[in-house]
Amino acid sequence: MPSFTEDGFPGCVRHPNVGPILGMLKLPTQISFVLPKTPYTLENILHYSPGAIKSDWHIQHLIYQLLSALSYMHGLGIAHGNLRPSNIMLTETFWCWLQIGEKQLLNSKVNPSNNFHNPSTGGFCSECCSSHALYADLNLSDSENWQSSFYSWWRGELSNFEYLLMLNRLAGRRWGDHTFYAVMPWVIDFSVNPDENSISGWRDLSKSKWRLAKGDEQLDFTYSTSEIPHHVSDECLSELAVCSYKARRLPLSVLRTAVRSVYEPNEYPSNMQRLYQWTPDECIPEFYCDPHIFYSLHSGMPDLAVPYWAGSPEEFIKLHRDALESNHVSRQIHHWIDITFGYKLSGEAAVAAKNVMLPAATSTMPRSTGRCQLFNQPHPPRQIAKKNSGRIKVNDVDGKPLLTESNELDKLEEATSFCEKSWHLSPKYNVYTGDWLNDESQEKELLRDTSVNTSSREPVSSMNYDWISTIDSSYLLQNIEVDDDFVGYQDLLLWRQISSSKVVSISSADDIFAVGCILAELQLGKPLFGLNSLASYLESGVLPNSMQELPNHIKIVVEACIQKEWSRRPSAKCLLESPYFTKSVQSSYLFLAPFHLLAKDESRLQYAATFAKRGALKKMGAVGAEICAPYCLPLIVSSASDSETEWAYVLLTELLKCLKLEAVMKLVVPSVERILQATGYSHLKVSLLQGSFMQEIWDRIGKQAYFETMHPLIISNLCIAPHMSSAAASVLLIGSSEEHGVPITVHQTILPLMLSFGKGLCNDGVDVLIRIGGLFGENFVMKQILPLLHSVIHSGIGVSDVNKPEPIQSWGSLALIDCLTALDGLIPVMTTETIIKELIEDRTCPYVKILMLKDMGFRVLQCAAKSLIRVCLQIGPDLTALHVLPKLNELFDELAFSQKKNTCSVNLVGNMGVGRMKVGEEDCIGSRMELVLLLYPQFASLLGIEKLRQCCPTWLLLEQFLLRHHNWKWEYAGDSIQSGPDNIRGRRPSHNKGSTSESRPSKLLFNGVGWSRPQSQGKKVAKNLLPSKNKFEYNQNPVERHVAISSSGMQEPWYWFPSPAASWNGLDFSGRAGGSKDELPWKISASIIQSVRAHHGALRSFAVCQDECTIFTAGVGPGFKGNIQKWDLSRIDCVSSYNGHDEVVNDIFVMASTGRVASCDGTVHIWNGQTGKQISVFSESSSTSTRFVEMDEDNMLHFNPLTSGMLSTPFHGNLYSAMDYLEFNDRLVVGTGNGSLRFIDVNQGQKLHLWKSESADSGFPSLISSICSSSSVKVHAEETISSPSWIAAATSTGCCRLFDMRSGKIISSWQGHDGYVTKLAVAADHQLVSSSLDKTLRIWDLRRNGTAEHTVFRGYSDGVTGFSVWGQNVISISRNKIGVSSLQGSTDEEGKHRTTPQHLYTADGESKNVSVLSAIGILPFSRLFLVGTEDGHLKICC
């Protein structure tokens, strides 16, 4: 803060939480200064997005920043004096600045009697301001005086216009912001001159303008049919409407952005009546106060015409304003206020008024504007003065109205009650400022107190804030510490008793009072004090009732801050040292405070990376690292230079190590996605694509999240121009394929790459396909890759002729070239027999089929010819003569007898005197006849001229063509040597030219008479571009590996996995781009691929590991005991088992974070998934049913307390009946036989709280049959992820209940089914799927309060015993059949939702499954599903 004289105290206050002053102008009577504008204030967040402050540490961190700034200011003798949420500025990362205003300048040596204006205090401008006249008509008072404004309006002393502007201001609507503009009601329809003695022309203010425009019938239909029930789909005043109203005054650029990209002046309403009829939106203030809005600034757009009864815009404004202030409107305006600002915005009142609005975006995203409901009670009507006897007489007694007539007392009581219930609109945060400074003596005391403290104090600070070169790194690292982040109640009580550091001035104490009020409001979601409650507290010491709603540890701090006696309040420094603030919050602030004093992003990045590398983030713990991450990650994403990249990589790696899984998904993953999505070259992108970093992120987030977020972006980096990032992406995909296994590699890498053929896939992308084929060997190529290539070639041929539209034709040609390039690279992996069988003898030989197409593009023909020669070189001359040449005779005949004259030809014979072009990758043949030049000389070199002439009847015509147009003739070069492609140089044409070698298999260039063999083929396929040694590493040559496997007689891994080509029949390759699972539909064929006997008895449950290569099956073992088997799916082999259960296991989960397995058979067993060693067993004691309340009283949440303890049932209450794994906190929630939910902390090995959901009135409690939570939903990376908000439980009686995750309270309860609920699962964040023995599958939309059915699927002949969800499909099992249903709820011809169950058939389709299905699980990324049967079989299906 700059000083105002040269001899004042330090020239600037440099604290990271004090808002900097950017500029200042000192005048004799006032001082104007410029402050930075932040996107939010704390008031914005509290009003429009309270969910953005998500956790206790968010609140702690915010309060710690405020106290740090106050401690520094108080040390300088400066008190803020007006601390309130509106004066706390927040950046996008929620770093706060205290806004400096006039009260902080009182201690300067400027005469304090001078008038200062602080915009934050509410006025538009001071009287001395030159713009004062502009706002004179508004005469708005401060929002703190809302009650007095209401009474003034209610008595008729304040106009309707002014009162409505006040409400707009309270709701956050403001002029200049077209998205939340100040709103006014339309009061007339402009058809006639408004007359209070007539009802004609007046608008019905008891209904919204939207309702009047749309009609009740349409709104009812919208409400009943919408996925999210609502009547109004937009705000009451949209940006489109505001810009259309002001179209004649706004710049055309604004109109093109907000209204329509093409400016059409005639499309804007030309007169007021047309404007009113055109829009369903409300009015704006300008139509009541500003005649300029009618006059157009744009040529071609006429002025807005006023109604016939108004002679000019000025006269219309006067008449329109008179209508707004008329008694007719005043009698109804309270109804409009209820609809726009009041209680009819929510609840049943909104439904009755047909005013339910479409919910805004998630409240967890910070917003500076938004929809705001001011009142929860009906707004009182305005008092209308009567002209005759009985006129209201109003006197002022203590500022409150006194009505002399008794029949008006009820109205007065109603108005008073309304004000009392709306106290939150006038929150109070200060005691000794504002309205409480009632006399000059108090104000002078404050000024004297401030000036004394200013002169007697020196600046103090807890650390030296300075540039990075002078930051004491040793001090920082020594003072960073971490604890268990638990705020101890006893510690706070002790602090309260022994703390001796108190405030020493009234003004400082007032700031501390404000901090206590703000802390309470952050917890409660509403202000702590209003006008009356603060007065009551100061007089009698009675605290508001809301204090009882605060958590105990918060209450201690708030009570200390708001002590009635100001001298007993703790100082800011004392609060900073209190145990309320955890060590993580203190350590993170110690790290971030110097960070925010650095001006340049580069300096900040270097600072953060330096201390992160030295262990600062690790020392402060996961919570401290999560606090720091939002400030560091934007710098990482924007890093550009090589030095910045190095720092960014270090910092990102450290954050990945230190953060918890939830924070990694919420913060780190979106940042990495933005880096990978960046176009062009990025050094940081290349660094991240290295296998080491991706391995770390894989380990942290798991395979499923990796494939949903990272993997599609890695593939997308291959669809750009080749550079280092595409090369790094290709290395990563190649190296990770063996770790993924065949099914996942095929569906997640091979198919997306092939779907990118013809769409800009670079050579590195094709190379990935080739090298993966070489890695897995010939069988993989033959079974998985070649069928898919044939499908792409078939699609490409179908759209590549010249008669197709240009985009489709272009895709087909480019896709064919990519396919031919891939085939060229895969040929060395295959044996001669395979090449002949798959590529030549096949009826659809791709090379010949392409060459025979007369309408095919010349570039494709050239590639096909070169690829065919490459194949012939591989298989040798004898097999070429036997299998290839007979297929080419038709082509040679066509070319030989063609009468087409070629005016352009390719010259490959040196400097001949005919037209020529150089053959390179950019060159292309000019006609089909030039195929003769590409094919005939090469076959002559390979076979020998005599044999070629024997196989080709038209050899003479072809050689004449070559001689005439290309001066080519055969010259004898010695004995024919036909032993292989390496010896074809024995026969040469009469000319030769230097060759060009290329390293890529995709570039096979013509070299004299033959083809150069690419260096990357043969045994070098799997040896180039190897990543560093890690889990993605592969070391063995594919050919050698294939030979080794064959010689040993063992079956290859994944030998049973079928080619996906059969189920992809008809896939539109031209219309799709390779990408995530949602872009590739899963066509379920209901085929059994493999079956194996897994258990002696029924198979009850599956648990699929994230790698989808390992699964656990739970079923009935020997002696009818529970048995769990661990399976390696690559070889369908049982590798281990767990036999610790005495009963049949009903649920099993793999805890991915630790590798442990939880299984439930009435008790819960935790055991090591690798060794099978038991770790712990959890059960309820047998006495639980009778002494349950006494044992667990401390850990129990009673929502519906039982009056006589727990009742026993046929299924004993001490047995666990269902289980779910809460991945976000590594806990289990298990259901019991008496309808309760028990939480278990697996890491600590202890049982936690118990939730009781049954009441005594319900009779015998029903057992919990299934549980699920919202944590099972994988949130997309671009969205904000948070902890699960609810848990759903179903019972054996068909009842479903939804519990709030934090409080344990029942959100909703409904009868979901008529029978036993077999399973619950979460399909989306708002959808719940349930199945039951009542033969139905149901989908519930939780946005409809959980009780309204969204979809009911019928059609099952037996009970639905289970299901699994994948994407938009639900695969269910019922007896020996499966059913596939869509979450989108498609209906049949009768408008009903039906599922048609079908049998599972073997792969050959000859026999069907007759065993009863008992369990189902999905391998989502392998596109497979598992079913278990009652006779113990495990069946793998597709």
Side-chain angles (χ1 to χ4, degrees):
M1 183 174 64
S3 62
F4 302 103
T5 59
E6 296 299 329
D7 57 345
F9 60 76
C12 68
V13 175
R14 187 58 175 159
H15 189 279
N17 296 115
V18 174
I21 294 180
L22 305 181
M24 182 180 65
L25 178 63
K26 180 180 177 182
L27 299 175
T29 58
Q30 68 182 41
I31 299 172
S32 301
F33 48 90
V34 180
L35 301 176
K37 178 176 175 57
T38 55
Y40 319 106
T41 66
L42 184 57
E43 184 180 50
N44 298 153
I45 302 301
L46 290 171
H47 286 180
Y48 309 120
S49 52
I53 303 176
K54 309 176 188 67
S55 62
D56 290 339
W57 65 255
H58 280 93
I59 297 175
Q60 285 189 35
H61 183 53
L62 185 60
I63 297 298
Y64 196 91
Q65 294 179 67
L66 294 181
L67 289 172
S68 179
L70 289 177
S71 177
Y72 192 78
M73 293 175 65
H74 292 173
L76 294 172
I78 306 172
H80 190 278
N82 191 29
L83 188 60
R84 57 180 54 245
S86 59
N87 287 336
I88 300 173
M89 303 183 291
L90 297 177
T91 66
E92 293 180 350
T93 53
F94 276 27
W95 188 260
C96 81
W97 284 338
L98 289 186
Q99 182 170 307
I100 300 299
E102 64 178 86
K103 296 183 183 298
Q104 293 78 49
L105 304 181
L106 293 176
N107 58 353
S108 71
K109 297 188 178 181
V110 177
N111 186 350
S113 63
N114 288 339
N115 293 324
F116 297 93
H117 174 67
N118 180 10
S120 63
T121 58
F124 279 97
C125 59
S126 59
E127 294 185 1
C128 60
C129 178
S130 59
S131 302
H132 178 72
L134 181 63
Y135 303 100
D137 185 50
L138 300 181
N139 191 27
L140 295 181
S141 59
D142 190 355
S143 59
E144 292 187 10
N145 299 320
W146 172 81
Q147 291 188 3
S148 62
S149 299
F150 165 77
Y151 281 123
S152 296
W153 171 83
W154 185 73
R155 293 193 300 261
E157 299 171 0
L158 188 68
S159 69
N160 289 335
F161 182 75
E162 291 171 323
Y163 182 64
L164 292 178
L165 285 180
M166 168 64 74
L167 296 184
N168 272 280
R169 184 178 176 192
L170 290 173
R173 291 184 169 273
R174 49 185 181 264
W175 287 354
D177 183 355
H178 292 162
T179 56
F180 284 92
Y181 203 75
V183 60
M184 290 283 170
W186 294 108
V187 295
I188 57 177
D189 62 10
F190 308 104
S191 59
V192 297
N193 190 358
D195 184 359
E196 289 198 60
N197 297 321
S198 171
I199 61 174
S200 177
W202 294 96
R203 172 250 175 109
D204 183 2
L205 290 173
S206 65
K207 298 180 179 180
S208 67
K209 182 65 166 63
W210 188 277
R211 183 178 178 182
L212 294 172
K214 303 294 184 180
D216 287 1
E217 184 177 354
Q218 180 177 340
L219 295 188
D220 289 339
F221 177 79
T222 301
Y223 185 84
S224 61
T225 59
S226 300
E227 186 177 8
I228 302 177
H230 67 281
H231 299 109
V232 184
S233 58
D234 205 343
E235 297 294 330
C236 60
L237 182 60
S238 65
E239 182 182 13
L240 172 66
V242 172
C243 293
S244 298
Y245 294 164
K246 300 171 65 177
R248 286 155 180 82
R249 309 299 295 181
L250 292 176
L252 295 182
S253 59
V254 175
L255 297 181
R256 291 190 181 99
T257 301
V259 181
R260 187 181 174 188
S261 58
V262 179
Y263 170 64
E264 292 289 346
N266 294 328
E267 293 183 354
Y268 294 86
S270 58
N271 58 70
M272 285 301 298
Q273 187 172 5
R274 177 73 185 93
L275 185 68
Y276 174 82
Q277 296 170 348
W278 166 79
T279 177
D281 292 44
E282 294 290 355
C283 187
I284 58 176
E286 282 85 342
F287 285 121
Y288 291 100
C289 64
D290 184 10
H292 294 93
I293 196 172
F294 290 86
Y295 298 106
S296 176
L297 298 176
H298 311 305
S299 59
M301 180 183 291
D303 294 343
L304 184 62
V306 298
Y308 68 91
W309 39 264
S312 66
E314 290 75 13
E315 183 182 357
F316 170 80
I317 291 295
K318 181 181 181 303
L319 294 174
H320 200 206
R321 180 73 169 268
D322 290 343
L324 177 64
E325 305 299 339
S326 65
N327 287 342
H328 182 91
V329 171
S330 295
R331 291 188 187 97
Q332 298 186 53
I333 194 66
H334 62 284
H335 295 303
W336 184 87
I337 294 173
D338 288 336
I339 292 172
T340 309
F341 300 108
Y343 79 106
K344 291 183 180 179
L345 281 172
S346 61
E348 294 299 325
V351 177
K354 305 188 188 305
N355 195 44
V356 177
M357 294 190 176
L358 189 67
T362 173
S363 61
T364 59
M365 299 299 293
R367 295 196 304 271
S368 60
T369 57
R371 191 179 303 146
C372 185
Q373 180 177 336
L374 299 179
F375 311 113
N376 297 316
Q377 302 293 325
H379 195 284
R382 192 181 192 188
Q383 296 300 294
I384 307 299
K386 299 178 182 179
K387 296 181 180 180
N388 301 319
S389 61
R391 183 179 59 185
I392 300 175
K393 298 179 181 179
V394 180
N395 296 322
D396 283 341
V397 178
D398 296 331
K400 295 184 179 180
L402 176 65
L403 303 181
T404 58
E405 296 188 9
S406 60
N407 60 347
E408 300 297 334
L409 291 179
D410 290 340
K411 296 181 180 180
L412 174 60
E413 184 178 355
E414 178 187 5
T416 304
S417 174
F418 175 75
C419 276
E420 290 177 352
K421 293 178 180 179
S422 303
W423 64 269
H424 59 277
L425 297 178
S426 299
K428 292 297 178 182
Y429 301 94
N430 305 99
V431 177
Y432 301 104
T433 55
D435 297 336
W436 302 103
L437 292 177
N438 294 324
D439 56 60
E440 293 184 2
S441 61
Q442 289 183 347
E443 185 169 0
K444 290 180 179 179
E445 176 64 23
L446 285 177
L447 294 179
R448 185 196 63 77
D449 172 79
T450 303
S451 61
V452 168
N453 283 284
T454 301
S455 60
S456 62
R457 298 186 185 187
E458 294 295 331
V460 296
S461 175
S462 60
M463 69 172 294
N464 179 29
Y465 300 105
D466 208 336
W467 301 103
I468 188 169
S469 59
T470 60
I471 291 176
D472 189 347
S473 58
S474 299
Y475 173 87
L476 180 64
L477 293 171
Q478 289 171 4
N479 286 273
I480 287 180
E481 52 185 331
V482 65
D483 57 8
D484 57 3
D485 294 319
F486 175 74
V487 180
Y489 179 70
Q490 298 297 332
D491 294 337
L492 279 170
L493 283 177
L494 182 61
W495 166 81
R496 176 80 183 276
Q497 294 171 1
I498 66 175
S499 60
S500 58
S501 178
K502 308 295 183 182
V503 290
V504 295
S505 67
I506 297 178
S507 54
S508 299
D510 209 34
D511 287 343
I512 300 302
F513 185 91
V515 170
C517 294
I518 292 171
L519 174 58
E521 186 170 357
L522 287 170
Q523 287 286 341
L524 299 171
K526 58 184 178 182
L528 180 62
F529 287 111
L531 189 65
N532 296 333
S533 59
L534 181 57
S536 175
Y537 173 62
L538 295 177
E539 290 177 8
S540 60
V542 178
L543 288 169
N545 293 331
S546 57
M547 281 289 292
Q548 304 305 316
E549 302 175 23
L550 291 172
N552 290 332
H553 66 286
I554 302 291
K555 187 189 302 184
I556 293 176
V557 180
V558 173
E559 287 178 347
C561 293
I562 63 173
Q563 285 284 329
K564 183 179 178 183
E565 186 177 343
W566 68 265
S567 60
R568 298 182 61 187
R569 296 172 195 162
S571 65
K573 183 179 180 181
C574 179
L575 286 168
L576 286 171
E577 296 171 351
S578 72
Y580 167 67
F581 298 105
T582 63
K583 298 297 183 183
S584 294
V585 170
Q586 297 176 16
S587 297
S588 63
Y589 184 81
L590 198 62
F591 177 86
L592 290 172
F595 176 91
H596 281 87
L597 289 177
L598 301 173
K600 296 181 179 180
D601 287 348
E602 182 179 359
S603 301
R604 291 184 175 186
L605 181 59
Q606 181 183 2
Y607 163 83
T610 300
F611 285 99
K613 189 174 183 179
R614 297 184 60 183
L617 295 177
K618 185 177 181 180
K619 285 191 66 176
M620 69 179 66
V623 173
E626 186 174 353
I627 296 174
C628 298
Y631 303 96
C632 301
L633 287 170
L635 304 178
I636 294 174
V637 175
S638 61
S639 60
S641 66
D642 290 346
S643 59
E644 288 180 349
T645 296
E646 182 179 352
W647 299 328
Y649 186 86
V650 169
L651 184 55
L652 189 61
T653 304
E654 290 298 319
L655 287 171
L656 188 61
K657 294 176 181 177
C658 298
L659 292 172
K660 293 181 179 178
L661 174 60
E662 182 185 356
V664 170
M665 291 297 300
K666 178 178 63 176
L667 301 171
V668 176
V669 169
S671 299
V672 176
E673 286 182 309
R674 285 193 289 271
I675 294 170
L676 296 182
Q677 289 168 348
T679 58
Y681 171 74
S682 166
H683 189 178
L684 181 59
K685 183 195 294 188
V686 175
S687 300
L688 297 185
L689 288 172
Q690 300 299 324
S692 58
F693 178 83
M694 283 300 166
Q695 178 181 343
E696 290 180 18
I697 201 167
W698 171 319
D699 292 338
R700 291 291 284 117
I701 69 177
K703 176 172 280 190
Q704 183 172 354
Y706 176 86
F707 276 114
E708 290 178 345
T709 57
M710 299 290 104
H711 196 73
L713 296 176
I714 295 171
I715 292 178
S716 69
N717 273 273
L718 296 172
C719 297
I720 53 180
H723 50 61
M724 291 184 65
S725 61
S726 64
S730 69
V731 171
L732 179 61
L733 291 174
I734 296 165
S736 62
S737 59
E738 194 168 33
E739 175 70 19
H740 294 163
V742 168
I744 290 180
T745 297
V746 169
H747 285 290
Q748 305 303 320
T749 301
I750 301 294
L751 274 171
L753 286 174
M754 288 194 179
L755 289 170
S756 299
F757 277 10
K759 302 167 191 173
L761 187 68
C762 67
N763 290 333
D764 289 313
V766 180
D767 202 45
V768 171
L769 197 69
I770 296 168
R771 294 176 181 275
I772 289 178
L775 178 66
F776 284 105
E778 181 186 32
N779 286 342
F780 176 83
V781 172
M782 182 174 60
K783 192 174 181 180
Q784 305 294 339
I785 298 182
L786 290 184
L788 293 172
L789 284 175
H790 282 304
S791 297
V792 181
I793 290 172
H794 178 75
S795 298
I797 288 175
V799 299
S800 294
D801 64 78
V802 295
N803 296 320
K804 293 288 184 179
E806 176 59 29
I808 299 297
Q809 176 190 344
S810 175
W811 171 83
S813 299
L814 294 174
L816 288 175
I817 292 173
D818 287 339
C819 288
L820 293 170
T821 304
L823 286 174
D824 290 342
L826 291 170
I827 283 174
V829 182
M830 297 181 282
T831 62
T832 300
E833 292 77 10
T834 301
I835 294 173
I836 293 174
K837 179 182 177 181
E838 299 292 334
L839 299 180
I840 298 176
E841 285 188 345
D842 186 77
R843 289 181 302 173
T844 58
C845 175
Y847 309 105
V848 177
K849 188 171 184 180
I850 293 173
L851 292 172
M852 291 301 299
L853 293 175
K854 296 181 180 180
D855 293 329
M856 184 59 66
F858 296 147
R859 182 67 180 275
V860 181
L861 293 175
Q862 177 175 296
C863 289
K866 291 181 177 182
S867 296
L868 180 59
I869 294 297
R870 179 71 180 86
V871 172
C872 294
L873 291 172
Q874 185 74 18
I875 65 176
D878 294 335
L879 294 176
T880 299
L882 180 63
H883 297 284
V884 178
L885 283 182
K887 294 180 176 291
L888 290 177
N889 279 337
E890 183 180 350
L891 175 65
F892 284 150
D893 290 346
E894 174 205 334
L895 296 176
F897 293 106
S898 175
Q899 299 301 316
K900 183 177 180 181
K901 303 298 183 181
N902 297 291
T903 59
C904 179
S905 63
V906 177
N907 185 4
L908 302 173
V909 295
N911 297 323
M912 304 304 296
V914 293
R916 63 176 70 93
M917 64 173 65
K918 298 179 181 179
V919 174
E921 190 170 0
E922 303 83 6
D923 302 326
C924 181
I925 60 176
S927 68
R928 283 181 59 79
M929 284 301 300
E930 294 181 6
L931 289 175
V932 178
L933 178 63
L934 292 176
L935 294 173
Y936 195 87
Q938 314 315 314
F939 284 120
S941 298
L942 179 61
L943 303 177
I945 196 65
E946 295 85 359
K947 193 166 186 177
L948 177 59
R949 289 172 177 174
Q950 291 174 6
C951 297
C952 180
T954 56
W955 63 269
L956 181 58
L957 295 175
L958 296 175
E959 291 185 14
Q960 289 176 351
F961 169 81
L962 291 173
L963 180 61
R964 182 170 61 253
H965 290 278
H966 300 286
N967 197 27
W968 182 92
K969 65 179 180 178
W970 181 261
E971 290 185 359
Y972 184 75
D975 294 333
S976 175
I977 301 175
Q978 303 178 8
S979 60
D982 293 333
N983 297 315
I984 64 172
R985 297 177 184 267
R987 299 171 182 266
R988 302 176 182 274
S990 59
H991 56 270
N992 192 2
K993 188 176 181 180
S995 64
T996 304
S997 63
E998 294 287 343
S999 61
R1000 293 189 181 278
S1002 59
K1003 299 178 180 178
L1004 304 177
L1005 302 180
F1006 199 42
N1007 182 13
V1009 298
W1011 295 88
S1012 63
R1013 184 166 178 136
Q1015 299 174 6
S1016 61
Q1017 300 305 323
K1019 295 185 179 181
K1020 297 182 180 180
V1021 169
K1023 293 184 178 179
N1024 295 334
L1025 293 178
L1026 285 178
S1028 57
K1029 291 186 177 181
N1030 51 45
K1031 65 188 286 185
F1032 294 160
E1033 185 176 44
Y1034 58 95
N1035 300 308
Q1036 191 177 15
N1037 181 283
V1039 177
E1040 294 173 354
R1041 190 180 67 152
H1042 172 67
V1043 172
I1045 292 174
S1046 301
S1047 63
S1048 65
M1050 296 175 57
Q1051 290 179 312
E1052 288 186 347
W1054 307 104
Y1055 65 91
W1056 51 267
F1057 183 70
S1059 170
S1063 61
W1064 292 76
N1065 186 28
L1067 180 64
D1068 182 13
F1069 285 92
S1070 63
R1072 295 184 178 275
S1076 65
K1077 62 181 178 62
D1078 295 329
E1079 297 174 340
L1080 305 175
W1082 182 6
K1083 297 182 179 179
I1084 298 172
S1085 59
S1087 297
I1088 301 174
I1089 303 172
Q1090 197 74 11
S1091 179
V1092 63
R1093 182 69 177 269
H1095 296 272
H1096 288 75
L1099 195 160
R1100 294 299 185 192
S1101 182
F1102 289 109
V1104 180
C1105 295
Q1106 288 193 352
D1107 61 6
E1108 296 189 10
C1109 297
T1110 305
I1111 66 167
F1112 292 87
T1113 60
V1116 179
F1120 296 98
K1121 292 187 176 182
N1123 171 248
I1124 298 174
Q1125 304 277 10
K1126 180 180 180 182
W1127 294 85
D1128 177 9
L1129 288 185
S1130 64
R1131 300 184 187 277
I1132 314 295
D1133 184 26
C1134 179
V1135 295
S1136 63
S1137 63
Y1138 177 77
N1139 300 297
H1141 288 281
D1142 294 328
E1143 303 294 336
V1144 177
V1145 177
N1146 51 46
D1147 263 325
I1148 181 171
F1149 285 94
V1150 177
M1151 291 172 278
S1153 60
T1154 60
R1156 298 175 179 176
V1157 179
S1159 49
C1160 176
D1161 68 341
T1163 61
V1164 172
H1165 290 221
I1166 309 297
W1167 45 282
N1168 188 301
Q1170 295 293 329
T1171 64
K1173 181 180 179 181
Q1174 187 180 97
I1175 299 173
S1176 56
V1177 177
F1178 298 93
S1179 63
E1180 298 292 321
S1181 63
S1182 59
S1183 59
T1184 301
S1185 60
T1186 56
R1187 289 182 291 147
F1188 169 94
V1189 175
E1190 297 152 6
M1191 291 175 58
D1192 298 305
E1193 186 68 36
D1194 292 337
N1195 290 328
M1196 189 178 302
L1197 301 176
H1198 299 275
F1199 339 119
N1200 300 308
L1202 299 179
T1203 56
S1204 58
M1206 186 61 65
L1207 300 175
S1208 61
T1209 65
F1211 187 93
H1212 294 294
N1214 62 318
L1215 294 181
Y1216 297 136
S1217 55
M1219 179 172 63
D1220 189 42
Y1221 175 51
L1222 306 179
E1223 186 177 2
F1224 81 102
N1225 61 5
D1226 207 26
R1227 292 179 178 177
L1228 292 173
V1229 55
V1230 291
T1232 67
N1234 50 40
S1236 301
L1237 298 179
R1238 166 71 74 183
F1239 288 80
I1240 298 175
D1241 188 328
V1242 177
N1243 291 327
Q1244 299 295 327
Q1246 62 181 4
K1247 293 185 292 184
L1248 304 176
H1249 46 275
L1250 188 75
W1251 290 356
K1252 297 169 62 177
S1253 60
E1254 294 280 351
S1255 64
D1257 298 335
S1258 62
F1260 288 97
S1262 53
L1263 64 86
I1264 300 293
S1265 59
S1266 185
I1267 308 172
C1268 69
S1269 70
S1270 56
S1271 63
S1272 60
V1273 176
K1274 296 297 180 182
V1275 181
H1276 292 289
E1278 65 271 9
E1279 301 174 2
T1280 301
I1281 182 173
S1282 59
S1283 300
S1285 56
W1286 50 263
I1287 291 177
T1291 67
S1292 56
T1293 60
C1295 180
C1296 298
R1297 292 187 177 91
L1298 207 62
F1299 297 87
D1300 182 85
M1301 185 65 189
R1302 291 190 174 185
S1303 65
K1305 294 182 179 179
I1306 297 178
I1307 301 173
S1308 59
S1309 178
W1310 69 99
Q1311 188 66 34
H1313 290 271
D1314 297 330
Y1316 188 98
V1317 178
T1318 55
K1319 186 171 182 179
L1320 281 179
V1322 181
D1325 200 33
H1326 62 276
Q1327 284 183 318
L1328 188 67
V1329 185
S1330 62
S1331 62
S1332 171
L1333 296 182
D1334 65 1
K1335 304 179 183 180
T1336 63
L1337 178 79
R1338 307 190 181 213
I1339 303 173
W1340 309 92
D1341 190 343
L1342 301 182
R1343 293 171 298 188
R1344 296 173 177 262
N1345 297 323
T1347 59
E1349 293 181 7
H1350 180 62
T1351 307
V1352 180
F1353 285 97
R1354 305 183 188 276
Y1356 299 95
S1357 58
D1358 293 278
V1360 184
T1361 53
F1363 65 87
S1364 285
V1365 179
W1366 168 248
Q1368 291 297 310
N1369 292 325
V1370 180
I1371 309 175
S1372 53
I1373 55 175
S1374 176
R1375 199 167 177 78
N1376 60 348
K1377 297 180 180 180
I1378 69 165
V1380 180
S1381 312
S1382 173
L1383 290 173
Q1384 297 176 348
S1386 57
T1387 59
D1388 58 14
E1389 295 178 355
E1390 300 178 358
K1392 297 181 179 180
H1393 303 282
R1394 291 191 177 276
T1395 298
T1396 305
Q1398 57 183 318
H1399 286 283
L1400 288 169
Y1401 286 85
T1402 56
D1404 55 15
E1406 295 182 358
S1407 60
K1408 64 182 179 182
N1409 169 70
V1410 293
S1411 301
V1412 176
L1413 304 178
S1414 55
I1416 185 171
I1418 283 184
L1419 308 178
F1421 298 102
S1422 301
R1423 301 299 173 95
L1424 300 171
F1425 65 95
L1426 311 171
V1427 293
T1429 65
E1430 288 289 345
D1431 56 9
H1433 277 83
L1434 163 65
K1435 299 178 185 290
I1436 305 175
C1437 311
C1438 65

